[in-house]
Amino acid sequence: MRVVIVDDEALARERLKRLLQEFPGYEIVGEAADGESALDLIDNEEPDLVLLDIRMGGVDGLHVARSLAEYDPPPAVIFTTAYSEHALSAFDAKASGYLLKPIRLEKLKEALQNARRPTRAQKSKGAGQSGDARPKREFVTATTREGLIRVPAEEIVYFLADQKYTTVCHLHGEVLIEESLKTLEDDFAPWFLRVHRKALVATRFIAGLERDRGGEQLHWLTMKHASSPLPVSRRRLAEVRRFLTEQS
């Protein structure tokens, strides 16, 4: 499992890293000292598990957990805190574990085992989905000021998710829909590639991969017929590179 550690105390992060070394199969892919940078890091790394402190300056751990519960798919969250009074709020935030500091090895082992099971957030995201292949769709439908319009699949450049809505960038403009990227990925898999938690792109319109446009995002995908590049997460980078290599 890919793990991100979030705690405003460097010593607490170091202790968690030492404890995790006792368990095979866990890779620490990043750490953050506050909630805001944690969300940026998680967007880019797309971890399977987040070890999350609650009380931090600025954006606290509960806010981070509630945001992660809306991800598609959401990572498992284990709270690591010195305060027992937040347990109920942690449950409401759909956490899979709640550990009190100082964290003991056996308690961490138990929490890690629980985190490998689907969380309530993960179950809710997967509800109603079948393992069977779904029929390919020929279009998406969007409600606009002019009424309902259909956007043919072959004209869609990319889907970009932002909280409740998903932007559909197509050859003639943009529209908003309320479908999740997971549903769209399942329906249009033969023609589209997931490059980020928020982005699903039409492979036929991929122009190239760029590195380092400033800030924390290291890789960006340029698309034909689109003015702005799209982020590529580290987790999806190898697949994107493999696709570009196969097309060259």
Side-chain angles (χ1 to χ4, degrees), residues 4-128:
V4 162
I5 297 174
V6 184
D7 198 300
D8 60 355
E9 296 182 3
L11 289 178
R13 298 196 302 272
E14 288 299 321
R15 175 171 171 76
L16 281 172
K17 285 191 285 186
R18 289 197 302 271
L19 290 174
L20 277 174
Q21 290 175 356
E22 300 295 323
F23 305 105
Y26 292 89
E27 176 191 6
I28 299 172
V29 296
E31 57 183 278
D34 61 82
E36 185 174 356
S37 59
L39 288 172
D40 290 338
L41 174 64
I42 292 165
D43 264 355
N44 195 35
E45 293 292 349
E46 298 190 51
D48 305 298
L49 170 65
V50 180
L51 299 178
L52 180 62
D53 191 16
I54 289 184
R55 289 193 179 180
M56 299 180 290
V59 177
D60 67 14
L62 290 173
H63 177 89
V64 172
R66 294 188 185 104
S67 297
L68 297 182
E70 299 301 319
Y71 279 27
D72 184 15
V77 173
I78 297 175
F79 280 112
T80 59
T81 178
Y83 305 95
S84 60
E85 64 266 26
H86 298 295
L88 181 59
S89 297
F91 179 77
D92 289 339
K94 301 179 181 178
S96 61
Y98 192 92
L99 299 177
L100 290 176
K101 299 175 181 177
I103 295 169
R104 292 184 297 167
L105 192 64
E106 285 303 311
K107 290 294 185 182
L108 178 59
K109 179 180 179 180
E110 181 180 341
L112 292 174
Q113 290 172 342
N114 288 335
R116 285 189 173 273
R117 303 168 189 149
T119 64
R120 288 190 298 142
Q122 291 166 336
K123 288 177 181 177
S124 65
K125 289 295 182 181

Side-chain angles (χ1 to χ4, degrees), residues 134-195:
R134 298 178 62 177
K136 297 177 182 179
R137 289 165 53 185
E138 297 180 355
F139 55 82
V140 295
T141 302
T143 302
T144 69
R145 293 179 179 178
E146 289 74 32
L148 289 176
I149 66 168
R150 287 182 174 183
V151 181
E154 61 268 20
E155 295 184 4
I156 298 171
V157 180
Y158 63 77
F159 298 101
L160 186 64
D162 184 14
Q163 297 182 354
K164 182 180 179 181
Y165 296 100
T166 297
T167 298
V168 183
C169 175
H170 57 91
L171 296 182
H172 308 290
E174 294 184 354
V175 293
L176 295 177
I177 60 176
E178 294 188 37
E179 294 186 73
S180 72
L181 280 193
K182 176 58 178 172
T183 298
L184 296 167
E185 184 178 18
D186 289 343
D187 289 355
F188 297 110
W191 302 283
F192 287 76
L193 179 68
R194 189 74 166 261
V195 299

